[in-house]
Amino acid sequence: MAMLRFAVFRFFTMLATLLVVSVLIFIIINLPPGDYLSNQINELRATGQSSGVAKAEFLRQEYALDRPLWQQYLIWMGFAPGPHGFSGLIQGEFGWSFEFDRPVAELVGGALWLTVLVNLAAIMFVYMVALPLGVLAAARAKTWVDYTSAFLGYIGLATPNFLLALILFYYGNRYLDLPIGGLMDPRFEGEPMSFEKMKSVLIHLIIPTFVIGTSGAAAMMQRLRANLLDELGKPYVETARAKGMSETRMLVKYPLRVAFNPFVADIGTLLPAMVSGSVLVSVVLGLQTIGPVLLTALKSQDLFLSAFVLMFVALLTLIGTLISDLLLALLDPRIRFGGRSS
């Protein structure tokens, strides 16, 4: 029951936080003077294109951009009726992209699941590489195993992602016949999911997963090694050894569980950090994720598109934080729900 109460409390806290974040996103996006339509109107007036000005003014009224900022926010969220009644985010209406002249939902629909897929694959790569190497480096400290893993970690941290992408872009295609660019063969774009399409996606995921996950895996490996070495030097470890407990069982049962806590907590920030950090890699590798879309939307001040993408990243952050909090509560019995034991 305590776990259920904690989960419900964290869920509603997440919703409240998301509401506050939505306000901040909307305010920050509107901080620069003007917007896409205002800039377009100024350009059209400067060139004397009155018909284009009329169309842009119509769109401003159509999407309530001629109203005060607080009203625009309420209409965008769906808390207040706009020109078309209640049609905001909570009703599933994401707005219109003026830059691409398409509905936001249609524009980002495919990119969203590809973004999540790429970054989930990268996170799996991070944990699958960092955890065994970090534990092995700590357990075999000051040996060739430790020095080799440290050397690999430093290379991973020092190599820029875009440079690694360019290197693998060339050599992966030349020597391993890996596909160049994109997340699937062009013939599968717009087609329903099938075994052949999924196979194409998985093959195309190899290079992006390695590129995006390398620096994260290197950093996590170094932190896990340091935390585990710190735990292995504590008195309770010597006590367990003195009682005859095997090294492997002692390592897994006590110090590893404690040292692993920060990496469970990292789930809340790892996914959105990879989404935002993979924008340049997505451009270099030609990935159909939301990174390049967000970059274009921010440059052109495309209000609804950029606001939705930022809300999506914020949602990923909060969902990741919720998952990490629940896993921490299960992993570490010292954690008290609500700050007190039940």
Side-chain angles (χ1 to χ4, degrees):
M1 283 299 293
M3 187 65 187
L4 180 60
R5 287 197 302 269
F6 177 70
V8 171
F9 171 76
R10 286 294 293 111
F11 176 75
F12 284 105
T13 302
M14 182 189 75
L15 293 181
T17 305
L18 189 62
L19 182 63
V20 174
V21 169
S22 70
V23 175
L24 294 176
I25 287 174
F26 202 78
I27 292 174
I28 291 172
I29 287 178
N30 281 280
L31 282 178
D35 53 51
Y36 184 89
L37 290 177
S38 298
N39 296 337
Q40 188 181 61
I41 289 172
N42 292 333
E43 291 178 8
L44 291 172
R45 282 177 177 163
T47 55
Q49 301 180 47
S50 57
S51 59
V53 171
K55 180 183 176 181
E57 291 285 6
F58 170 76
L59 288 174
R60 282 182 59 82
Q61 296 175 7
E62 187 76 359
Y63 292 98
L65 296 179
D66 58 336
R67 304 192 186 186
L69 188 61
W70 65 272
Q71 288 187 18
Q72 292 182 38
Y73 168 77
L74 294 177
I75 294 171
W76 172 63
M77 286 296 297
F79 296 142
H84 302 284
F86 289 91
S87 57
L89 289 184
I90 61 176
Q91 286 84 24
E93 176 57 50
F94 303 146
W96 186 269
S97 170
F98 303 110
E99 172 71 16
F100 296 95
D101 199 25
R102 293 168 60 189
V104 170
E106 179 184 314
L107 184 63
V108 302
L112 289 182
W113 78 267
L114 287 174
T115 300
V116 172
L117 180 63
V118 169
N119 288 280
L120 283 179
I123 286 176
M124 290 176 62
F125 172 81
V126 167
Y127 280 94
M128 289 172 64
V129 170
L131 295 185
L133 288 182
V135 172
L136 196 59
R140 299 288 184 268
K142 298 182 180 180
T143 65
W144 68 269
V145 175
D146 185 18
Y147 298 139
T148 302
S149 63
F151 176 71
L152 294 175
Y154 291 137
I155 290 179
L157 287 171
T159 306
N161 280 356
F162 75 91
L163 179 60
L164 185 61
L166 289 173
I167 294 172
L168 295 180
F169 200 58
Y170 174 75
Y171 288 102
N173 179 259
R174 182 174 180 179
Y175 295 108
L176 301 176
D177 199 28
L178 292 174
I180 295 177
L183 284 174
M184 66 184 73
D185 193 286
R187 62 192 174 92
F188 292 117
E189 292 183 9
E191 296 293 324
M193 185 56 66
S194 63
F195 175 76
E196 290 299 321
K197 181 175 181 178
M198 180 55 68
K199 180 181 176 182
S200 177
V201 171
L202 292 177
I203 293 174
H204 281 73
L205 271 176
I206 295 174
I207 290 179
T209 298
F210 187 82
V211 171
I212 296 172
T214 299
S215 58
M220 182 175 287
M221 181 182 68
Q222 295 293 336
R223 292 204 310 275
L224 179 58
R225 175 189 177 277
N227 288 352
L228 194 53
L229 281 176
D230 182 59
E231 290 298 320
L232 288 173
K234 291 185 177 178
Y236 74 87
V237 174
E238 296 301 326
T239 302
R241 286 171 175 159
K243 289 183 177 180
M245 184 176 290
S246 69
E247 194 72 16
T248 302
R249 185 185 174 195
M250 180 274 301
L251 184 69
V252 173
K253 189 173 183 180
Y254 297 115
L256 183 58
R257 289 183 64 184
V258 177
F260 193 58
N261 282 0
F263 306 99
V264 175
D266 277 351
I267 296 173
T269 56
L270 195 56
L271 184 56
M274 287 192 168
V275 172
S276 58
S278 63
V279 173
L280 188 56
V281 174
S282 298
V283 173
V284 172
L285 294 179
L287 306 182
Q288 301 94 340
T289 61
I290 61 172
V293 175
L294 175 60
L295 190 60
T296 302
L298 291 173
K299 286 169 60 178
S300 62
Q301 293 182 278
D302 196 348
L303 172 64
F304 296 117
L305 179 56
S306 54
F308 173 77
V309 175
L310 290 173
M311 280 291 291
F312 174 71
V313 175
L315 181 62
L316 287 182
T317 305
L318 293 172
I319 291 176
T321 303
L322 175 63
I323 293 173
S324 66
D325 284 351
L326 296 179
L327 290 177
L328 278 173
L330 291 173
L331 180 67
D332 194 341
R334 297 174 302 173
I335 293 177
R336 299 289 187 260
F337 302 143
R340 34 193 308 195
S341 56
S342 54

